Amino acid sequence: MRRSHHMLTQAELQYSLTVHQVFGTVELPDKPIMLPPFVEATHCLGYHLTRKGRAVADRVVSVLGYACPDITYSPSLYPITAALLHFMPEEECYHCMASLVASKEKMFITQTKLLNEVTWKTVMQIAKKHAKSAAQHLSRLSGAIGPERIYADWQWWILAALPFPHLVRVLDCFFHEGIKVFYRVALAILILFHKHTTNQNSEWYAEATKNGVDHAIDKFCRNMPVSPTKLLRTAFTIRALSSQYISRVFIKTEMTLKSKQVITGSRLVRSRSSDNLPTSQSQVNIQMMSHTLTIRERMSEETCKQMGSHSPGPRALSMGVYPIQSIKSQILDQSELFTLWSWLPVRITMYQPVLLYTTEEHGCSLTTFYVRVEHHEPTLLMIKTCNNEVFGAYCSTRWFERNQKDERGNRQAYFGTGETFLFSLYPERAKYPWVGCAADGRSDEKLSHGSELFMAADSKMITIGGGDGQAIWMDENIRYGKTDRCSTFNNPPLCPSGDFEIRVLEVYGFAGA
């Protein structure tokens, strides 16, 4: 008993340290926390948690995002966290969720969009075989929208619609057996829904024909006509539905989707660092939010001055706190930092930027640069020249890749992915993405090898962008450099003369990324 108490204390201490690292304090913030990109805002279910309870759920999920950067899409993670907080303290909830996420033997929580799609296609396939009549009935009722659209919402029948007492009993089984319990319960819901809609005079049949079967199933679950015990009994008495069979269907579906992705997907799929590439609209939204935050802060400061107060007013509630605001750059001011922030991949904006290397503090040496930077991914390089030009690059891949060898044992000259981009902030303000991202109708097949030269480095130099020129080239003393148009980014030279002398170089990593 003494040992388990000690272990729990250590776990609590570890969680508190991580919370402090992420938020700078262990006190719950007054302002809403910016949740990780893998969360779906429409499914942040609180299950009647108090305002403080919701803040705790936000914090647990945010710390999970910080500790588990490989999670790119996991809409069920927040609801399960919120449910657990009804029964245990924050620290214990965090460690339970971390265990569920890390579990290799059983899958509890999907963590990518691909696996999320695999789950509903698995439910659809096993329903066609083990709840055949119910599946056929659903297909008939689905009409023009088709059954796929209905099955895609399968987990919300359970997590969002079931009454809380039913959900608690289901989750109790889920924590023992994993996501397969959800599959069985989903089939049980279909079987019960079929039973209650067979009669065309029933209220549920009328609901399905009037408002659509998707709304009917949701309403049916919210008014579940059987007890939690009856629901689970229905789920676990579906004959011949073994765990082995479910696993086979799941794995086969996953392999099929992955093979389709390889055949039809873009080349960006090759790297994990290119997951969740932001759309142009999402980038515009982030930039607009950044500008809104800046404007509201200034308005708050003016209001405070008029009222004789020195404390700033509240931020825009939807924003939370920007991690980039903690940067004390010798190169960029806050306005330029916000612009650069709006250009970063959306998932990266939640992580805390960390200054890894600066010529001001660490000297001008490529060796020191590699020691401090090479194992971090991604990195943000910012250069200020002796003529006050400011430009740089977001590098999607760690610089250590310069040491990787191909199958013949030769070092790879270039590495990196299409998420890498260039930027200029003075005298011009512009972002130069990879030409393969350009929405100009070109297909990947037409891109030349010279358009995929993202990063290169050795003991004598660093290069970003290639093909008919190098976008950024720096020497081993990090003192002199060159910039030219290149095929990879189709950029102009980033400073007018093409040659530059470096006044300051800063390189940032992202804690937890």
Side-chain angles (χ1 to χ4, degrees), residues 170-187:
V170 171
L171 286 176
D172 191 37
C173 298
F174 163 78
F175 293 137
H176 283 282
E177 296 296 329
I179 203 168
K180 294 169 189 175
V181 170
F182 281 0
Y183 296 155
R184 283 185 169 274
V185 171
L187 263 61

mmCIF file of all heavy atoms in Angstrom, residues 170-187:
data_model
loop_
_atom_site.group_PDB
_atom_site.id
_atom_site.type_symbol
_atom_site.label_atom_id
_atom_site.label_comp_id
_atom_site.label_asym_id
_atom_site.label_seq_id
_atom_site.Cartn_x
_atom_site.Cartn_y
_atom_site.Cartn_z
ATOM 1 N N VAL A 170 -21.884 1.439 -20.293
ATOM 2 C CA VAL A 170 -21.164 1.091 -21.524
ATOM 3 C C VAL A 170 -19.672 1.388 -21.365
ATOM 4 O O VAL A 170 -18.816 0.567 -21.729
ATOM 5 C CB VAL A 170 -21.735 1.859 -22.733
ATOM 6 C CG1 VAL A 170 -20.853 1.659 -23.968
ATOM 7 C CG2 VAL A 170 -23.158 1.408 -23.028
ATOM 8 N N LEU A 171 -19.345 2.565 -20.804
ATOM 9 C CA LEU A 171 -17.940 2.933 -20.614
ATOM 10 C C LEU A 171 -17.237 1.972 -19.655
ATOM 11 O O LEU A 171 -16.052 1.675 -19.821
ATOM 12 C CB LEU A 171 -17.833 4.368 -20.086
ATOM 13 C CG LEU A 171 -18.109 5.486 -21.107
ATOM 14 C CD1 LEU A 171 -18.073 6.848 -20.424
ATOM 15 C CD2 LEU A 171 -17.106 5.450 -22.250
ATOM 16 N N ASP A 172 -17.965 1.488 -18.670
ATOM 17 C CA ASP A 172 -17.384 0.541 -17.718
ATOM 18 C C ASP A 172 -16.886 -0.706 -18.447
ATOM 19 O O ASP A 172 -15.788 -1.200 -18.169
ATOM 20 C CB ASP A 172 -18.440 0.174 -16.670
ATOM 21 C CG ASP A 172 -17.832 -0.590 -15.495
ATOM 22 O OD1 ASP A 172 -16.694 -0.267 -15.105
ATOM 23 O OD2 ASP A 172 -18.491 -1.512 -14.969
ATOM 24 N N CYS A 173 -17.673 -1.190 -19.394
ATOM 25 C CA CYS A 173 -17.251 -2.347 -20.198
ATOM 26 C C CYS A 173 -16.144 -1.958 -21.174
ATOM 27 O O CYS A 173 -15.194 -2.722 -21.398
ATOM 28 C CB CYS A 173 -18.441 -2.903 -20.974
ATOM 29 S SG CYS A 173 -19.793 -3.504 -19.936
ATOM 30 N N PHE A 174 -16.277 -0.765 -21.744
ATOM 31 C CA PHE A 174 -15.288 -0.261 -22.703
ATOM 32 C C PHE A 174 -13.892 -0.202 -22.093
ATOM 33 O O PHE A 174 -12.895 -0.575 -22.739
ATOM 34 C CB PHE A 174 -15.739 1.114 -23.181
ATOM 35 C CG PHE A 174 -14.676 1.955 -23.839
ATOM 36 C CD1 PHE A 174 -14.288 1.724 -25.150
ATOM 37 C CD2 PHE A 174 -14.075 2.998 -23.153
ATOM 38 C CE1 PHE A 174 -13.322 2.511 -25.761
ATOM 39 C CE2 PHE A 174 -13.109 3.795 -23.754
ATOM 40 C CZ PHE A 174 -12.725 3.547 -25.054
ATOM 41 N N PHE A 175 -13.777 0.235 -20.831
ATOM 42 C CA PHE A 175 -12.468 0.349 -20.182
ATOM 43 C C PHE A 175 -11.825 -1.015 -19.951
ATOM 44 O O PHE A 175 -10.614 -1.119 -19.774
ATOM 45 C CB PHE A 175 -12.585 1.099 -18.851
ATOM 46 C CG PHE A 175 -12.958 2.548 -19.012
ATOM 47 C CD1 PHE A 175 -13.899 3.149 -18.187
ATOM 48 C CD2 PHE A 175 -12.372 3.319 -20.008
ATOM 49 C CE1 PHE A 175 -14.245 4.482 -18.342
ATOM 50 C CE2 PHE A 175 -12.717 4.657 -20.173
ATOM 51 C CZ PHE A 175 -13.662 5.238 -19.341
ATOM 52 N N HIS A 176 -12.624 -2.061 -19.991
ATOM 53 C CA HIS A 176 -12.071 -3.413 -19.858
ATOM 54 C C HIS A 176 -11.711 -4.019 -21.216
ATOM 55 O O HIS A 176 -10.696 -4.701 -21.341
ATOM 56 C CB HIS A 176 -13.092 -4.337 -19.168
ATOM 57 C CG HIS A 176 -13.175 -4.140 -17.692
ATOM 58 N ND1 HIS A 176 -12.243 -4.656 -16.820
ATOM 59 C CD2 HIS A 176 -14.061 -3.465 -16.930
ATOM 60 C CE1 HIS A 176 -12.562 -4.312 -15.575
ATOM 61 N NE2 HIS A 176 -13.662 -3.585 -15.624
ATOM 62 N N GLU A 177 -12.543 -3.749 -22.221
ATOM 63 C CA GLU A 177 -12.418 -4.480 -23.485
ATOM 64 C C GLU A 177 -12.006 -3.638 -24.683
ATOM 65 O O GLU A 177 -11.689 -4.171 -25.740
ATOM 66 C CB GLU A 177 -13.743 -5.179 -23.806
ATOM 67 C CG GLU A 177 -14.139 -6.239 -22.795
ATOM 68 C CD GLU A 177 -13.156 -7.392 -22.758
ATOM 69 O OE1 GLU A 177 -12.552 -7.693 -23.804
ATOM 70 O OE2 GLU A 177 -12.979 -7.986 -21.685
ATOM 71 N N GLY A 178 -12.061 -2.329 -24.567
ATOM 72 C CA GLY A 178 -11.679 -1.489 -25.688
ATOM 73 C C GLY A 178 -12.830 -1.157 -26.612
ATOM 74 O O GLY A 178 -14.003 -1.391 -26.307
ATOM 75 N N ILE A 179 -12.499 -0.639 -27.798
ATOM 76 C CA ILE A 179 -13.490 -0.076 -28.713
ATOM 77 C C ILE A 179 -14.450 -1.130 -29.254
ATOM 78 O O ILE A 179 -15.544 -0.791 -29.743
ATOM 79 C CB ILE A 179 -12.761 0.651 -29.866
ATOM 80 C CG1 ILE A 179 -13.666 1.711 -30.503
ATOM 81 C CG2 ILE A 179 -12.228 -0.327 -30.890
ATOM 82 C CD1 ILE A 179 -12.937 2.654 -31.444
ATOM 83 N N LYS A 180 -14.109 -2.416 -29.131
ATOM 84 C CA LYS A 180 -15.001 -3.479 -29.599
ATOM 85 C C LYS A 180 -16.337 -3.465 -28.859
ATOM 86 O O LYS A 180 -17.367 -3.859 -29.405
ATOM 87 C CB LYS A 180 -14.324 -4.842 -29.439
ATOM 88 C CG LYS A 180 -13.101 -5.000 -30.340
ATOM 89 C CD LYS A 180 -12.316 -6.233 -29.976
ATOM 90 C CE LYS A 180 -10.985 -6.249 -30.724
ATOM 91 N NZ LYS A 180 -10.124 -7.351 -30.322
ATOM 92 N N VAL A 181 -16.317 -2.993 -27.609
ATOM 93 C CA VAL A 181 -17.563 -2.848 -26.847
ATOM 94 C C VAL A 181 -18.483 -1.850 -27.536
ATOM 95 O O VAL A 181 -19.696 -2.067 -27.650
ATOM 96 C CB VAL A 181 -17.272 -2.410 -25.398
ATOM 97 C CG1 VAL A 181 -18.557 -2.009 -24.675
ATOM 98 C CG2 VAL A 181 -16.568 -3.523 -24.635
ATOM 99 N N PHE A 182 -17.929 -0.762 -28.004
ATOM 100 C CA PHE A 182 -18.717 0.239 -28.715
ATOM 101 C C PHE A 182 -19.352 -0.361 -29.980
ATOM 102 O O PHE A 182 -20.489 -0.038 -30.319
ATOM 103 C CB PHE A 182 -17.845 1.437 -29.105
ATOM 104 C CG PHE A 182 -17.569 2.405 -27.982
ATOM 105 C CD1 PHE A 182 -18.074 2.205 -26.708
ATOM 106 C CD2 PHE A 182 -16.802 3.537 -28.212
ATOM 107 C CE1 PHE A 182 -17.819 3.098 -25.678
ATOM 108 C CE2 PHE A 182 -16.542 4.453 -27.200
ATOM 109 C CZ PHE A 182 -17.045 4.234 -25.925
ATOM 110 N N TYR A 183 -18.588 -1.207 -30.680
ATOM 111 C CA TYR A 183 -19.145 -1.832 -31.886
ATOM 112 C C TYR A 183 -20.380 -2.666 -31.542
ATOM 113 O O TYR A 183 -21.406 -2.608 -32.229
ATOM 114 C CB TYR A 183 -18.112 -2.743 -32.559
ATOM 115 C CG TYR A 183 -16.884 -2.050 -33.103
ATOM 116 C CD1 TYR A 183 -15.683 -2.732 -33.251
ATOM 117 C CD2 TYR A 183 -16.914 -0.710 -33.486
ATOM 118 C CE1 TYR A 183 -14.553 -2.112 -33.762
ATOM 119 C CE2 TYR A 183 -15.783 -0.085 -33.995
ATOM 120 C CZ TYR A 183 -14.612 -0.786 -34.126
ATOM 121 O OH TYR A 183 -13.498 -0.168 -34.626
ATOM 122 N N ARG A 184 -20.262 -3.466 -30.489
ATOM 123 C CA ARG A 184 -21.391 -4.307 -30.066
ATOM 124 C C ARG A 184 -22.599 -3.454 -29.665
ATOM 125 O O ARG A 184 -23.738 -3.773 -30.013
ATOM 126 C CB ARG A 184 -20.977 -5.209 -28.905
ATOM 127 C CG ARG A 184 -20.142 -6.416 -29.326
ATOM 128 C CD ARG A 184 -19.876 -7.328 -28.146
ATOM 129 N NE ARG A 184 -19.309 -8.604 -28.561
ATOM 130 C CZ ARG A 184 -20.009 -9.659 -28.948
ATOM 131 N NH1 ARG A 184 -21.330 -9.581 -28.988
ATOM 132 N NH2 ARG A 184 -19.422 -10.789 -29.290
ATOM 133 N N VAL A 185 -22.337 -2.371 -28.920
ATOM 134 C CA VAL A 185 -23.435 -1.502 -28.471
ATOM 135 C C VAL A 185 -24.083 -0.809 -29.667
ATOM 136 O O VAL A 185 -25.304 -0.650 -29.723
ATOM 137 C CB VAL A 185 -22.925 -0.476 -27.435
ATOM 138 C CG1 VAL A 185 -23.998 0.564 -27.118
ATOM 139 C CG2 VAL A 185 -22.492 -1.188 -26.152
ATOM 140 N N ALA A 186 -23.270 -0.406 -30.653
ATOM 141 C CA ALA A 186 -23.824 0.218 -31.868
ATOM 142 C C ALA A 186 -24.762 -0.752 -32.584
ATOM 143 O O ALA A 186 -25.852 -0.360 -33.039
ATOM 144 C CB ALA A 186 -22.688 0.653 -32.791
ATOM 145 N N LEU A 187 -24.358 -2.023 -32.687
ATOM 146 C CA LEU A 187 -25.223 -3.024 -33.305
ATOM 147 C C LEU A 187 -26.491 -3.243 -32.479
ATOM 148 O O LEU A 187 -27.584 -3.424 -33.033
ATOM 149 C CB LEU A 187 -24.475 -4.354 -33.485
ATOM 150 C CG LEU A 187 -23.880 -4.581 -34.888
ATOM 151 C CD1 LEU A 187 -22.857 -3.500 -35.241
ATOM 152 C CD2 LEU A 187 -23.243 -5.965 -34.985
#
